[in-house]
Amino acid sequence: MNSNRNANRRRLNVNGNYSLDNNNGYVFGMAPAAKTPTMPKPYKHLYQNVCSLGTIILAWKKARKGKTKRPDVIEFEKNLKQNLFDLQFELKSQTYKPMPLTTFPIRDPKTRLISKSSFRDRIIHHVLINVIGPLFEKSFIYDSCANQKGKGNLFALKRFDQFIKKVSRNGIKNSLIHPNHVKGHILKADIKHYFQEVDHEVLMKTIRRKISDEKTLWLIKKIVKPNSERRERENNFGEKGMPLGNLTSQFFANVYLNELDYFIKHTLKAKFYVRYVDDFIILHNSKEQLEIWKKRIQEFLIENLKLELHKDKSHIAPLARGIDFVGFRKFYYVRLLRRRNLRKMLSKVKCYSNGKVSKEQILSSFQGWNAYAKHANAHRLRQSVLKEIYSQGKLIQPF
């Protein structure tokens, strides 16, 4: 009886995976042949979604979020219905033209030129990203951390924490003197003048591999370099640069460097790699291996993306020395604020004491800074900054 039951079990077990269910694609212990990897076909017929009034209304809601009291938003919404219909008509007829950018410098701490688009153009930016964003983001690597939902600088810092534990073997030390002297090395790299050097021809080639809808590509070209009538006539997109500050620039920055991400992860096979915009880190036990990778990354950037590493900001260091990344100085056991971040907050406190900043402004600035600073080992420092604000005699201390 038992032998018959075993015989039946062996006869039924023809799929070779110890299951009595044969309806799973496996026959007689043999898996089906693996499919040959193929490049996905480019997406077509996207532009009708771009021109949809529902897409435009959703984009308007996103563009106005947290900015309802700004003059340009108020002005646009005085005739909201007509303005939204006008945008839809311009998209459908392909007569849309971005307005001139407003450019101004900021110092944080180095001087950068920020380009601000008009509110109507920011709506169009959200329209485009709402449609094409998901198509690209699903191909981004997990450790591309900037400008994506659920990610950001704290996500990048979390991944750094995980990787430093793996590379150092959970904190195996090179020294008995200091607990942060752990084994391992890190390549910290920065791409030189990234937003100014993005090559339009390379960017458009990358985008065309994913999108073949010519009308959508027309809109992308309009946004990447606004007010470019001469280049539009010549059909020449070999120029460089993206306006720093636009939502679309942040998105295309990820699209452009996704090529680098794949090179590092799949060609170099670096396991412990994190990128935040144009800053990235690679951790490894061997300094020599990181030197080899650094050289190959530089060659890849020059040959394929027409970029290069910043010589002064790209270096290899022991993990024991700590590293500046996404606004913090990170050691194995300790996470510190960067000095320039503290100086910036203290300068605002000084402006408040001189009457240049209002009570509401200084409290708003402190709340934002404190939300960031609480992720560092800086409790006493945060308390001292708060005490400095209230010591000016203009506010009642809340304790």
Short mmCIF file of all heavy atoms in Angstrom, two decimals, residues 52 101 131 195 197 199 224 243 309 326:
data_model
loop_
_atom_site.label_atom_id
_atom_site.label_comp_id
_atom_site.label_asym_id
_atom_site.label_seq_id
_atom_site.Cartn_x
_atom_site.Cartn_y
_atom_site.Cartn_z
N SER A 52 -4.37 66.45 -21.74
CA SER A 52 -5.62 66.22 -21.01
C SER A 52 -5.84 67.32 -19.97
O SER A 52 -4.93 67.70 -19.23
CB SER A 52 -5.57 64.86 -20.33
OG SER A 52 -6.57 64.75 -19.34
N LEU A 101 13.16 83.22 -18.03
CA LEU A 101 13.47 82.84 -16.67
C LEU A 101 13.90 84.05 -15.85
O LEU A 101 14.54 84.97 -16.36
CB LEU A 101 14.58 81.79 -16.65
CG LEU A 101 14.27 80.45 -17.33
CD1 LEU A 101 15.55 79.64 -17.48
CD2 LEU A 101 13.24 79.67 -16.54
N VAL A 131 3.42 62.73 -16.52
CA VAL A 131 3.23 61.77 -17.60
C VAL A 131 4.46 60.89 -17.80
O VAL A 131 4.35 59.66 -17.88
CB VAL A 131 2.86 62.50 -18.91
CG1 VAL A 131 2.81 61.52 -20.09
CG2 VAL A 131 1.53 63.21 -18.77
N PHE A 195 25.17 70.81 -13.62
CA PHE A 195 24.01 71.36 -14.31
C PHE A 195 24.41 72.25 -15.48
O PHE A 195 23.67 72.36 -16.46
CB PHE A 195 23.12 72.13 -13.33
CG PHE A 195 22.24 71.24 -12.49
CD1 PHE A 195 22.68 70.78 -11.27
CD2 PHE A 195 21.00 70.84 -12.94
CE1 PHE A 195 21.89 69.94 -10.50
CE2 PHE A 195 20.20 70.00 -12.19
CZ PHE A 195 20.64 69.55 -10.96
N GLU A 197 26.96 71.64 -17.41
CA GLU A 197 27.66 70.83 -18.41
C GLU A 197 26.80 69.73 -19.03
O GLU A 197 27.29 68.98 -19.88
CB GLU A 197 28.91 70.20 -17.79
CG GLU A 197 29.98 71.21 -17.38
CD GLU A 197 30.56 71.95 -18.58
OE1 GLU A 197 30.67 71.33 -19.65
OE2 GLU A 197 30.87 73.14 -18.44
N ASP A 199 24.92 67.84 -21.50
CA ASP A 199 24.91 67.98 -22.95
C ASP A 199 23.53 67.64 -23.49
O ASP A 199 23.00 66.55 -23.27
CB ASP A 199 25.96 67.06 -23.56
CG ASP A 199 26.12 67.26 -25.05
OD1 ASP A 199 25.34 66.65 -25.80
OD2 ASP A 199 27.01 68.04 -25.45
N VAL A 224 13.82 71.99 -21.73
CA VAL A 224 15.24 71.82 -21.39
C VAL A 224 16.02 73.10 -21.62
O VAL A 224 16.87 73.49 -20.83
CB VAL A 224 15.86 70.65 -22.21
CG1 VAL A 224 17.38 70.66 -22.11
CG2 VAL A 224 15.31 69.32 -21.70
N PRO A 243 18.62 74.88 -16.53
CA PRO A 243 18.40 75.90 -15.50
C PRO A 243 18.29 75.28 -14.11
O PRO A 243 17.46 74.40 -13.87
CB PRO A 243 17.09 76.57 -15.92
CG PRO A 243 16.43 75.59 -16.83
CD PRO A 243 17.52 74.83 -17.50
N LEU A 309 34.87 64.29 -13.35
CA LEU A 309 34.88 64.41 -11.90
C LEU A 309 35.55 65.71 -11.49
O LEU A 309 36.49 66.17 -12.14
CB LEU A 309 35.61 63.22 -11.27
CG LEU A 309 34.98 61.84 -11.46
CD1 LEU A 309 35.87 60.78 -10.83
CD2 LEU A 309 33.57 61.78 -10.86
N VAL A 326 25.61 64.54 1.95
CA VAL A 326 24.23 65.04 2.06
C VAL A 326 24.02 65.89 3.31
O VAL A 326 23.01 65.76 4.02
CB VAL A 326 23.19 63.90 1.98
CG1 VAL A 326 23.18 63.30 0.59
CG2 VAL A 326 23.43 62.82 3.03
#
